[in-house]
């Protein structure tokens, strides 16, 4: 990847949003490269996604200096999606210009205390801020949420926020830390924060579509959760047997062979209505329990899933977006890191990167995705922003 790359502009691809990336791990140099690529007299907001390998405090300070007084928001990742495809150990950013985009941002500093009255005040404040900055009366808003990916509070925050949004389309991703499962951070208010969420409202006249997709299909096998540590998202028993042993039996492996690659290839899902929502496994605990990325409840039935061709499904989804919106100015994507692991195992990363770059996808690999108030796993979720007014 080049040190910094800005999206080209053309007659059918407006200059905003602009995208850029830097693979320099020096915070000052990375911030300077991004600023050079995104700067403009109308720049009104910068959204970024960065590797947890950066010295985060220094990176935050460098970004604030480089872009001041433009506000910033972002998070750490489990991998980046740059203008030229998948990246690792880098930072990618998107610059939104006024008056094409009216953007307001707020941080949820206490996830446990986030209740409906607070959520409603936040949403009302974001709407009022966007109206003040709005390019016109005919704008529509959507909302991006970024959450600490190890907080185990996504379901609570998202369901509360969904109730306050009143039908405003919303999506997002859980911050990562390059698969270390140690510390994940969101960025707002001039610094990186754990145990927090960032809510970004974006309003524009541009056509857009919030979407989610996955490539997994249900099998016949079922597993019933018969013992659970709900607070820590740990399943202790499946079908009244030790959870790791029963899952290993299902996938034809030994417990010692269970790793993220196996979890990615053999996911489990809960059925809600006619749809299946993946509940991805994070790891095997020492006591033989399985720790999940999503909430799990005693008595739920988990369906075994199997992957269909990932890239073929992704291409079909991207082609559908282009048919409906025209050539996109930007697709902001939250792509589960388990999908990336699957592509790496298949040796298809280069092919996937080309496809993402062609479709103008920029974003990050997540520890979980968010769509219309639901916390989901192993999906590609995001928003496509059209080029037409």
């Amino acid at each position: 990847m080049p040190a910094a790359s800005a999206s080209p502009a053309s007659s059918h691809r407006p200059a905003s949003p602009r995208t850029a990336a830097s693979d320099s791990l020096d915070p000052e140099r990375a911030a300077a490269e991004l600023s050079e690529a995104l700067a403009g007299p109308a720049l009104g907001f910068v959204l970024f996604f960065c590797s947890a390998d950066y010295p985060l405090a220094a990176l935050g300070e460098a970004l604030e200096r480089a872009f001041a007084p433009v506000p910033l928001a972002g998070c750490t990742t489990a991998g980046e999606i740059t203008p030229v495809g998948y990246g690792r150990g880098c930072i990618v950013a998107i610059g939104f210009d006024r008056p094409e985009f009216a953007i307001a941002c707020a941080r949820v500093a206490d996830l446990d205390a986030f209740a409906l009255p607070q959520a409603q005040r936040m949403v009302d404040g974001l709407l009022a801020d966007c109206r003040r900055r709005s390019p016109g009366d005919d704008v529509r808003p959507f909302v991006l949420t970024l959450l600490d990916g190890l907080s185990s509070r996504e379901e609570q925050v998202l369901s509360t926020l969904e109730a306050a949004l009143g039908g405003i389309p919303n999506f997002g991703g859980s911050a990562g830390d390059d698969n270390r499962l140690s510390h994940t951070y969101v960025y707002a208010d001039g610094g990186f924060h754990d145990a927090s969420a960032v809510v970004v409202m974006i309003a524009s006249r541009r056509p857009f579509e919030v979407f989610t997709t996955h490539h997994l299909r249900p099998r016949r096998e079922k597993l019933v959760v018969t013992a659970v540590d709900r607070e820590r998202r740990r399943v202790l028993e499946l079908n009244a047997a030790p959870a790791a042993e029963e899952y290993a039996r299902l996938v034809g492996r030994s417990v010692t062979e269970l790793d993220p690659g196996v979890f990615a290839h053999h996911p489990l899902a809960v059925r809600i209505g006619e749809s299946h929502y993946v509940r991805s496994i994070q790891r095997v605990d020492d006591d033989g329990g399985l720790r999940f990325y999503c909430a799990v409840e005693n008595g739920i039935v988990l369906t075994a899933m199997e992957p269909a061709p990932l890239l073929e499904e992704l291409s079909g989804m991207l082609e559908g977006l282009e048919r409906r919106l025209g050539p996109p100015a930007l697709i902001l994507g939250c792509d589960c890191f388990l999908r990336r692991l699957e592509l790496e195992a298949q040796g298809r990363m280069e092919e996937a990167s080309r496809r993402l770059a062609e479709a103008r996808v920029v974003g990050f690999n997540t520890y979980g995705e968010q769509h219309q108030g639901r916390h989901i796993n192993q999906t590609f979720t995001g928003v496509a922003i059209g080029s037409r007014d």
Side-chain angles (χ1 to χ4, degrees):
M1 177 178 56
S5 52
S7 296
S10 71
S11 59
H12 69 282
R13 287 184 175 174
S16 178
R18 291 183 296 281
T19 60
S22 172
D23 55 12
S24 173
L25 283 177
D26 176 75
E28 295 291 342
R29 181 176 176 185
E33 290 175 345
L34 296 179
S35 177
E36 181 180 0
L38 301 181
L43 184 64
F45 194 87
V46 173
L47 183 66
F48 73 88
F49 310 107
C50 68
S51 168
D53 284 342
Y54 282 94
L56 294 178
L59 178 64
E61 293 170 0
L63 290 170
E64 290 290 328
R65 286 192 297 271
F67 286 103
V70 175
L72 302 101
C75 69
T76 57
T77 75
E80 300 76 49
I81 306 175
T82 79
V84 294
Y86 282 116
R88 176 72 78 184
C90 62
I91 179 170
V92 59
I94 307 164
F96 296 88
D97 280 355
R98 306 179 309 268
E100 291 184 78
F101 295 92
I103 302 179
C105 178
R107 179 167 71 97
V108 181
D110 187 344
L111 300 182
D112 290 325
F114 190 62
L116 185 56
Q118 179 187 356
Q120 195 64 66
R121 288 193 298 272
M122 173 183 286
V123 170
D124 291 346
L126 293 172
L127 282 168
D129 285 348
C130 282
R131 289 190 189 106
R132 283 194 293 269
R133 302 182 174 104
S134 173
D137 295 332
D138 55 346
V139 302
R140 290 193 303 143
F142 62 87
V143 164
L144 164 69
T145 50
L146 303 172
L147 282 94
D148 175 349
L150 298 177
S151 67
S152 300
R153 292 294 180 270
E154 290 97 331
E155 286 82 9
Q156 172 192 333
V157 171
L158 293 172
S159 62
T160 302
L161 184 62
E162 173 74 3
L165 284 171
I168 295 174
N170 58 93
F171 75 101
S174 298
D177 65 348
D178 298 295
N179 305 354
R180 298 187 186 98
L181 302 176
S182 177
H183 299 288
T184 61
Y185 300 92
V186 297
Y187 187 93
D189 300 337
F192 286 92
H193 308 273
D194 61 2
S196 294
V198 176
V199 181
V200 182
M201 182 174 287
I202 303 174
S204 177
R205 283 195 297 264
R206 298 276 190 86
F208 68 82
E209 182 177 328
V210 169
F211 63 86
T212 187
T213 187
H214 65 77
H215 65 299
L216 303 168
R217 306 292 181 261
R219 292 166 45 184
R220 297 179 60 182
E221 297 91 337
K222 311 288 185 183
L223 297 172
V224 180
V225 177
T226 49
V228 68
D229 177 352
R230 183 176 180 271
E231 183 66 19
R232 295 192 287 172
R233 296 176 172 174
R234 298 180 65 239
V235 171
L236 307 178
E237 290 183 0
L238 291 167
N239 296 343
E245 293 181 12
E246 186 67 1
Y247 175 79
R249 182 196 63 77
L250 172 74
V251 302
R253 301 293 187 95
S254 68
V255 171
T256 58
E257 291 178 296
L258 300 182
D259 61 18
V262 174
F263 301 147
H265 196 70
H266 300 283
L268 304 173
V270 60
R271 180 173 175 175
I272 301 175
E274 296 302 312
S275 300
H276 287 83
Y277 296 91
V278 174
R279 295 291 181 260
S280 292
I281 300 170
Q282 184 184 118
R283 65 174 183 260
V284 178
D285 285 338
D286 292 340
D287 62 359
L290 294 175
R291 192 175 298 256
F292 281 69
Y293 282 102
C294 272
V296 285
E297 303 282 349
N298 205 41
I300 63 171
V301 178
L302 296 172
T303 300
M305 307 287 284
E306 61 185 1
L310 192 159
L311 269 186
E312 288 74 4
E313 185 278 334
L314 176 64
S315 292
M317 187 274 299
L318 294 172
E319 290 164 5
L321 288 171
E322 183 162 353
R323 282 196 302 271
R324 293 188 292 274
L325 295 176
L330 171 75
I331 296 177
L332 173 52
C334 302
D335 186 29
C336 182
F337 85 103
L338 292 171
R339 291 167 56 92
R340 179 173 177 143
L341 288 181
E342 184 175 336
L343 290 169
E344 289 173 347
Q346 294 173 353
R348 303 188 76 182
M349 286 289 286
E350 185 175 342
E351 183 182 358
S353 287
R354 283 197 304 270
R355 187 68 188 94
L356 293 172
E358 290 167 357
R360 297 179 60 81
V361 177
V362 168
F364 73 110
N365 295 114
T366 77
Y367 281 174
E369 304 78 59
Q370 300 132 32
H371 183 256
Q372 299 300 104
R374 284 196 175 98
H375 183 210
I376 51 183
N377 293 138
Q378 221 153 331
T379 74
F380 180 73
T381 297
V383 64
I385 300 174
S387 299
R388 308 187 299 269
D389 285 339

